[in-house]
Every structure is written in C-alpha cells, then in structure tokens.
Amino acid sequence: MLRRLRHALFLASMMAAPVWAADCAPVDFLTLPLPQGDDPVVTALRGAYPGLSVDAAGVRLADGSLIPLGEDPGRPPGARLAEPSLREQFHDIYPLAFDLTAREARWHDPGRARVEALFAALYGGSEQAVRAGLKKVAISGKASFLISERQGAACQMRAALAEVAALPTDWAPAFRNVGGSFNWRKIAGTARMSTHSYGIAFDLNADLGGYWRWSNRPEGDAGPYDNRIPADVVQVFERFGFIWGGKWHHFDGMHFEYRPEIILYARLMGQSAPLR
Ligand SMILES: [Zn+2]
C-alpha cells in the first residue's frame, strides 16, 4: 500500500517537473551573428531551422518531395493569406522595434501567411504526431504551456519564460487566465490550420490582448489596437524567436508563435533589434 502511494507520488512529481533535453542551448535571434547568403528567404529559413534542407528551389522534405520557394508577385493580400508560396510568407517585414504603427497599414500581417506543409514537416502532420513532441513549460507556478520540443521550440520557450520571470515589469497579469497553447484546430472563421495545432503557439491573458475578430470590424479594416501586453515581455519572446500577433493589422494581442525565420528575415532586411 505504502509502496503504491510512494509510486503515485513519484509519478506526480515527474509530471510536475518536466524533463528537459540535455542539448537545450537557447539561441538569441536578435543578436545571433546574421547568417550569410544570396537569397534572404533561403538564408532566414536555414538560420531558423538548421536541420531543414533548403536550397534555391525550396525546402526538401524527408520523403523526397519539395516545397517550392515560389514567387511573390504582389497578389492581393487575401489570396496571399489563403494560400501563400514560401516566398509570400515573407512579404510583410516584421518590425523588431516596439512599433505599433506599421500594423496600421491594411493587411500588414508579418508572419500570418503560412505554408501549412512546412509546419507539418517541422512539427508533425497530424494531432497524434504533434502530440508526441510536446513538452510542458511553466513560468514560476503562474501558468504552463504545451510546446513542441522539435526545432528547439520548447527549449526557446523555457529560456524566454525564465527571462520574463526575471523582468522588473509587473508581468504576472499577462500570465493570468492564459488562453492556452497546443490545440489541434483551424483558425476561427477560416479553413486554415492554426499554429496552435503544431505546438508552437500560445495565448496570454485574453483580457489584456484583444483580438480583431472580437472588435466587429471587417477583414482588411481591423481598426485600432489598444495594447496592454508589456513591451519588454514582447521583446523577450522576440529575442527567443517568437513573433507577436499585436504587431499584425489583424491584431491578436494575446498570441505568440515560434517563427525565428520571420525574426531573422527582418534583420536581413535591415530592421535593427531594440536596445536591451
Ligand atoms: Zn493564439
């Protein structure tokens, strides 16, 4: 009986304390020496995902198939969003400064266009496959998130949360009533998979964040965004490769997702990282 109780307590302690891979070496994508290359899209993808096979034609998958880089011919933004080429994923440049004026331009949504096949290749193409790579990451007992350990995402998240917890800012309200992390689902109102499906996205406190669909504005005219997520919390996540939906015209202020290629591409295109 006592043995069984001890065993149950041992299992509970194992569940409370996630086991980390020994090779977790977090990368600061804002200060990482910029990788070199002729094509910034190829360079950003290679720098973000060292295990990914990327060449001038596109991303080569393990099964021998190719996700072509494609073109960015300046299609209407709705079409680009619905079915982007890899190159179109990079059409809008993500502002690395805490600048919420860029999002005032209609459809300026850097990182919101995604080639689903790329994310399926990076993190898993089914709920079961993604689930097999999830790790629980927590911040000072306040909140926890399920994030994929693939591509180093959970390692990056753990580093970001440790840095947020050490900020002098009152960060705790943003981590109350968090909106969740892994969830195999479509984006509300669309047929596209959410990045929550791949275990790379999480939502902070929805009361502080704000979401364009809740503001009764039409797509393409999302209107003003009243931000209450602390800027230095955003900057810590960006440092570790997470982009923030508060910088999108179609704002999703509670939402962050692991997109180091978007951060690296912004740097390659001349954006400078904010001073710490
Ligand atoms: Zn979200």
Side-chain angles (χ1 to χ4, degrees):
M1 185 67 181
L2 190 61
R3 246 179 96 184
R4 204 177 294 170
L5 181 67
R6 275 206 196 116
H7 185 63
L9 286 172
F10 172 74
L11 284 179
S13 72
M14 288 296 285
M15 285 159 76
V19 178
W20 291 101
D23 61 351
C24 173
V27 176
D28 180 335
F29 285 100
L30 292 183
T31 57
L32 178 76
L34 266 184
Q36 303 294 310
D38 296 335
D39 184 333
V41 167
V42 172
T43 307
L45 284 167
R46 281 183 179 157
Y49 309 109
L52 198 64
S53 175
V54 192
D55 60 32
V59 173
R60 299 196 184 268
L61 303 183
D63 66 2
S65 62
L66 174 78
I67 306 175
L69 280 186
E71 300 297 328
D72 181 7
R75 295 192 293 157
R80 196 165 56 229
L81 194 62
E83 208 178 345
S85 69
L86 267 185
R87 210 173 269 293
E88 283 176 315
Q89 274 195 179
F90 297 87
H91 182 89
D92 298 321
I93 298 172
Y94 186 87
L96 293 178
F98 194 80
D99 172 14
L100 300 185
T101 60
R103 66 156 296 281
E104 291 171 9
R106 289 182 177 204
W107 296 97
H108 187 82
D109 297 317
R112 198 162 161 257
R114 311 173 188 95
V115 174
E116 285 182 14
L118 174 66
F119 295 90
L122 292 171
Y123 301 105
S126 68
E127 177 171 6
Q128 194 184 17
V130 175
R131 272 189 189 281
L134 296 178
K135 290 283 178 196
K136 187 173 168 185
V137 194
I139 178 163
S140 298
K142 299 268 192 251
S144 66
F145 306 90
L146 282 174
I147 302 292
S148 178
E149 66 178 339
R150 295 174 185 145
Q151 315 306 326
C155 167
Q156 296 293 112
M157 179 73 168
R158 183 176 66 150
L161 291 180
E163 203 161 300
V164 167
L167 286 173
T169 316
D170 185 16
W171 53 267
F175 288 82
R176 266 178 219 132
N177 304 318
V178 293
S181 49
F182 170 72
N183 188 354
W184 185 262
R185 64 169 171 83
K186 304 268 199 260
I187 299 169
T190 79
R192 308 192 309 275
M193 290 305 284
S194 161
T195 43
H196 286 277
S197 307
Y198 301 107
I200 57 169
F202 61 94
D203 296 328
L204 297 184
N205 187 341
D207 293 337
L208 301 186
Y211 181 39
W212 75 274
R213 278 191 193 277
W214 299 342
S215 64
N216 293 319
R217 302 276 297 219
E219 190 167 29
D221 186 14
Y225 167 53
D226 177 22
N227 176 52
R228 287 182 290 157
I229 302 287
D232 49 3
V233 169
V234 171
Q235 284 165 355
V236 166
F237 282 120
E238 288 172 347
R239 176 169 305 121
F240 291 101
F242 293 83
I243 61 168
W244 176 48
K247 290 183 176 176
W248 294 340
H249 177 73
H250 297 92
F251 56 90
D252 188 352
M254 69 192 118
H255 178 93
F256 292 81
E257 64 184 61
Y258 189 61
R259 300 292 299 285
E261 76 280 23
I262 298 294
I263 303 282
L264 285 179
Y265 185 76
R267 290 183 59 205
L268 287 163
M269 299 306 282
Q271 291 273 320
S272 53
L275 295 172
R276 295 184 72 169

PDB file of all heavy atoms in Angstrom, residues 179-181 185 194-196 201-204 252 254-257, ligand 1:
ATOM      1  N   GLY A 179      -4.778  31.892 -22.393  1.00  0.00           N
ATOM      2  CA  GLY A 179      -5.738  31.347 -23.361  1.00  0.00           C
ATOM      3  C   GLY A 179      -5.398  29.966 -23.890  1.00  0.00           C
ATOM      4  O   GLY A 179      -6.167  29.400 -24.646  1.00  0.00           O
ATOM      5  N   GLY A 180      -4.232  29.417 -23.534  1.00  0.00           N
ATOM      6  CA  GLY A 180      -3.920  28.064 -23.980  1.00  0.00           C
ATOM      7  C   GLY A 180      -2.746  28.019 -24.936  1.00  0.00           C
ATOM      8  O   GLY A 180      -2.207  29.053 -25.344  1.00  0.00           O
ATOM      9  N   SER A 181      -2.373  26.810 -25.302  1.00  0.00           N
ATOM     10  CA  SER A 181      -1.215  26.636 -26.193  1.00  0.00           C
ATOM     11  C   SER A 181      -1.564  25.599 -27.253  1.00  0.00           C
ATOM     12  O   SER A 181      -2.252  25.934 -28.225  1.00  0.00           O
ATOM     13  CB  SER A 181       0.034  26.275 -25.378  1.00  0.00           C
ATOM     14  OG  SER A 181      -0.235  25.217 -24.470  1.00  0.00           O
ATOM     15  N   ARG A 185      -6.546  22.593 -34.236  1.00  0.00           N
ATOM     16  CA  ARG A 185      -7.774  23.262 -34.706  1.00  0.00           C
ATOM     17  C   ARG A 185      -7.484  24.187 -35.877  1.00  0.00           C
ATOM     18  O   ARG A 185      -6.331  24.534 -36.151  1.00  0.00           O
ATOM     19  CB  ARG A 185      -8.402  24.073 -33.570  1.00  0.00           C
ATOM     20  CG  ARG A 185      -7.518  25.236 -33.081  1.00  0.00           C
ATOM     21  CD  ARG A 185      -8.314  26.146 -32.152  1.00  0.00           C
ATOM     22  NE  ARG A 185      -7.505  27.152 -31.486  1.00  0.00           N
ATOM     23  CZ  ARG A 185      -7.150  28.329 -32.023  1.00  0.00           C
ATOM     24  NH1 ARG A 185      -7.486  28.621 -33.260  1.00  0.00           N
ATOM     25  NH2 ARG A 185      -6.436  29.189 -31.319  1.00  0.00           N
ATOM     26  N   SER A 194      -4.496  26.508 -37.482  1.00  0.00           N
ATOM     27  CA  SER A 194      -3.855  27.458 -36.571  1.00  0.00           C
ATOM     28  C   SER A 194      -2.464  26.941 -36.207  1.00  0.00           C
ATOM     29  O   SER A 194      -2.240  25.730 -36.157  1.00  0.00           O
ATOM     30  CB  SER A 194      -4.704  27.567 -35.310  1.00  0.00           C
ATOM     31  OG  SER A 194      -3.946  28.094 -34.252  1.00  0.00           O
ATOM     32  N   THR A 195      -1.541  27.848 -35.890  1.00  0.00           N
ATOM     33  CA  THR A 195      -0.227  27.379 -35.426  1.00  0.00           C
ATOM     34  C   THR A 195      -0.323  26.756 -34.036  1.00  0.00           C
ATOM     35  O   THR A 195       0.611  26.088 -33.603  1.00  0.00           O
ATOM     36  CB  THR A 195       0.835  28.503 -35.422  1.00  0.00           C
ATOM     37  OG1 THR A 195       0.257  29.679 -34.900  1.00  0.00           O
ATOM     38  CG2 THR A 195       1.391  28.735 -36.804  1.00  0.00           C
ATOM     39  N   HIS A 196      -1.463  26.939 -33.358  1.00  0.00           N
ATOM     40  CA  HIS A 196      -1.676  26.206 -32.099  1.00  0.00           C
ATOM     41  C   HIS A 196      -1.674  24.702 -32.371  1.00  0.00           C
ATOM     42  O   HIS A 196      -1.348  23.913 -31.495  1.00  0.00           O
ATOM     43  CB  HIS A 196      -2.997  26.622 -31.458  1.00  0.00           C
ATOM     44  CG  HIS A 196      -2.957  27.983 -30.842  1.00  0.00           C
ATOM     45  ND1 HIS A 196      -2.473  28.210 -29.578  1.00  0.00           N
ATOM     46  CD2 HIS A 196      -3.290  29.198 -31.331  1.00  0.00           C
ATOM     47  CE1 HIS A 196      -2.536  29.497 -29.299  1.00  0.00           C
ATOM     48  NE2 HIS A 196      -3.019  30.131 -30.360  1.00  0.00           N
ATOM     49  N   ALA A 201       2.478  27.736 -30.680  1.00  0.00           N
ATOM     50  CA  ALA A 201       1.788  28.993 -30.365  1.00  0.00           C
ATOM     51  C   ALA A 201       1.197  28.928 -28.964  1.00  0.00           C
ATOM     52  O   ALA A 201       0.890  27.851 -28.454  1.00  0.00           O
ATOM     53  CB  ALA A 201       0.672  29.239 -31.377  1.00  0.00           C
ATOM     54  N   PHE A 202       1.082  30.104 -28.354  1.00  0.00           N
ATOM     55  CA  PHE A 202       0.414  30.183 -27.051  1.00  0.00           C
ATOM     56  C   PHE A 202      -0.261  31.543 -26.941  1.00  0.00           C
ATOM     57  O   PHE A 202       0.123  32.500 -27.608  1.00  0.00           O
ATOM     58  CB  PHE A 202       1.417  29.975 -25.908  1.00  0.00           C
ATOM     59  CG  PHE A 202       2.516  30.985 -25.860  1.00  0.00           C
ATOM     60  CD1 PHE A 202       2.412  32.124 -25.063  1.00  0.00           C
ATOM     61  CD2 PHE A 202       3.671  30.826 -26.616  1.00  0.00           C
ATOM     62  CE1 PHE A 202       3.423  33.068 -25.030  1.00  0.00           C
ATOM     63  CE2 PHE A 202       4.687  31.768 -26.583  1.00  0.00           C
ATOM     64  CZ  PHE A 202       4.560  32.888 -25.793  1.00  0.00           C
ATOM     65  N   ASP A 203      -1.309  31.592 -26.105  1.00  0.00           N
ATOM     66  CA  ASP A 203      -2.049  32.829 -25.880  1.00  0.00           C
ATOM     67  C   ASP A 203      -1.903  33.237 -24.424  1.00  0.00           C
ATOM     68  O   ASP A 203      -2.118  32.418 -23.529  1.00  0.00           O
ATOM     69  CB  ASP A 203      -3.535  32.632 -26.194  1.00  0.00           C
ATOM     70  CG  ASP A 203      -3.775  32.322 -27.664  1.00  0.00           C
ATOM     71  OD1 ASP A 203      -3.016  32.824 -28.507  1.00  0.00           O
ATOM     72  OD2 ASP A 203      -4.725  31.577 -27.953  1.00  0.00           O
ATOM     73  N   LEU A 204      -1.557  34.501 -24.190  1.00  0.00           N
ATOM     74  CA  LEU A 204      -1.526  35.036 -22.826  1.00  0.00           C
ATOM     75  C   LEU A 204      -2.948  35.454 -22.445  1.00  0.00           C
ATOM     76  O   LEU A 204      -3.920  35.012 -23.047  1.00  0.00           O
ATOM     77  CB  LEU A 204      -0.525  36.194 -22.745  1.00  0.00           C
ATOM     78  CG  LEU A 204       0.944  35.798 -23.032  1.00  0.00           C
ATOM     79  CD1 LEU A 204       1.867  36.990 -22.825  1.00  0.00           C
ATOM     80  CD2 LEU A 204       1.383  34.640 -22.141  1.00  0.00           C
ATOM     81  N   ASP A 252      -3.913  40.145 -32.889  1.00  0.00           N
ATOM     82  CA  ASP A 252      -4.232  39.040 -31.984  1.00  0.00           C
ATOM     83  C   ASP A 252      -3.246  39.211 -30.840  1.00  0.00           C
ATOM     84  O   ASP A 252      -2.207  38.554 -30.780  1.00  0.00           O
ATOM     85  CB  ASP A 252      -4.050  37.706 -32.735  1.00  0.00           C
ATOM     86  CG  ASP A 252      -4.548  36.519 -31.922  1.00  0.00           C
ATOM     87  OD1 ASP A 252      -4.886  36.695 -30.736  1.00  0.00           O
ATOM     88  OD2 ASP A 252      -4.589  35.407 -32.485  1.00  0.00           O
ATOM     89  N   MET A 254      -2.997  38.592 -27.729  1.00  0.00           N
ATOM     90  CA  MET A 254      -2.638  37.577 -26.731  1.00  0.00           C
ATOM     91  C   MET A 254      -1.702  36.530 -27.334  1.00  0.00           C
ATOM     92  O   MET A 254      -1.121  35.720 -26.623  1.00  0.00           O
ATOM     93  CB  MET A 254      -3.912  36.900 -26.209  1.00  0.00           C
ATOM     94  CG  MET A 254      -4.621  36.021 -27.226  1.00  0.00           C
ATOM     95  SD  MET A 254      -6.275  35.529 -26.700  1.00  0.00           S
ATOM     96  CE  MET A 254      -7.248  36.282 -28.004  1.00  0.00           C
ATOM     97  N   HIS A 255      -1.550  36.534 -28.660  1.00  0.00           N
ATOM     98  CA  HIS A 255      -0.974  35.398 -29.396  1.00  0.00           C
ATOM     99  C   HIS A 255       0.521  35.583 -29.719  1.00  0.00           C
ATOM    100  O   HIS A 255       0.934  36.629 -30.220  1.00  0.00           O
ATOM    101  CB  HIS A 255      -1.763  35.232 -30.693  1.00  0.00           C
ATOM    102  CG  HIS A 255      -1.271  34.146 -31.604  1.00  0.00           C
ATOM    103  ND1 HIS A 255      -1.778  32.871 -31.568  1.00  0.00           N
ATOM    104  CD2 HIS A 255      -0.329  34.143 -32.563  1.00  0.00           C
ATOM    105  CE1 HIS A 255      -1.158  32.135 -32.485  1.00  0.00           C
ATOM    106  NE2 HIS A 255      -0.274  32.893 -33.108  1.00  0.00           N
ATOM    107  N   PHE A 256       1.281  34.538 -29.458  1.00  0.00           N
ATOM    108  CA  PHE A 256       2.696  34.464 -29.836  1.00  0.00           C
ATOM    109  C   PHE A 256       2.917  33.135 -30.541  1.00  0.00           C
ATOM    110  O   PHE A 256       2.261  32.142 -30.210  1.00  0.00           O
ATOM    111  CB  PHE A 256       3.594  34.507 -28.592  1.00  0.00           C
ATOM    112  CG  PHE A 256       3.585  35.822 -27.866  1.00  0.00           C
ATOM    113  CD1 PHE A 256       2.554  36.138 -26.992  1.00  0.00           C
ATOM    114  CD2 PHE A 256       4.602  36.747 -28.036  1.00  0.00           C
ATOM    115  CE1 PHE A 256       2.532  37.354 -26.312  1.00  0.00           C
ATOM    116  CE2 PHE A 256       4.594  37.962 -27.363  1.00  0.00           C
ATOM    117  CZ  PHE A 256       3.552  38.267 -26.509  1.00  0.00           C
ATOM    118  N   GLU A 257       3.863  33.100 -31.482  1.00  0.00           N
ATOM    119  CA  GLU A 257       4.190  31.824 -32.116  1.00  0.00           C
ATOM    120  C   GLU A 257       5.662  31.785 -32.496  1.00  0.00           C
ATOM    121  O   GLU A 257       6.272  32.818 -32.792  1.00  0.00           O
ATOM    122  CB  GLU A 257       3.291  31.550 -33.335  1.00  0.00           C
ATOM    123  CG  GLU A 257       3.458  32.526 -34.470  1.00  0.00           C
ATOM    124  CD  GLU A 257       2.467  32.246 -35.609  1.00  0.00           C
ATOM    125  OE1 GLU A 257       1.244  32.315 -35.361  1.00  0.00           O
ATOM    126  OE2 GLU A 257       2.920  31.967 -36.731  1.00  0.00           O
TER     127      GLU A 257
HETATM  128 ZN    ZN B   1      -3.299  32.160 -30.381  1.00  0.00          ZN
END
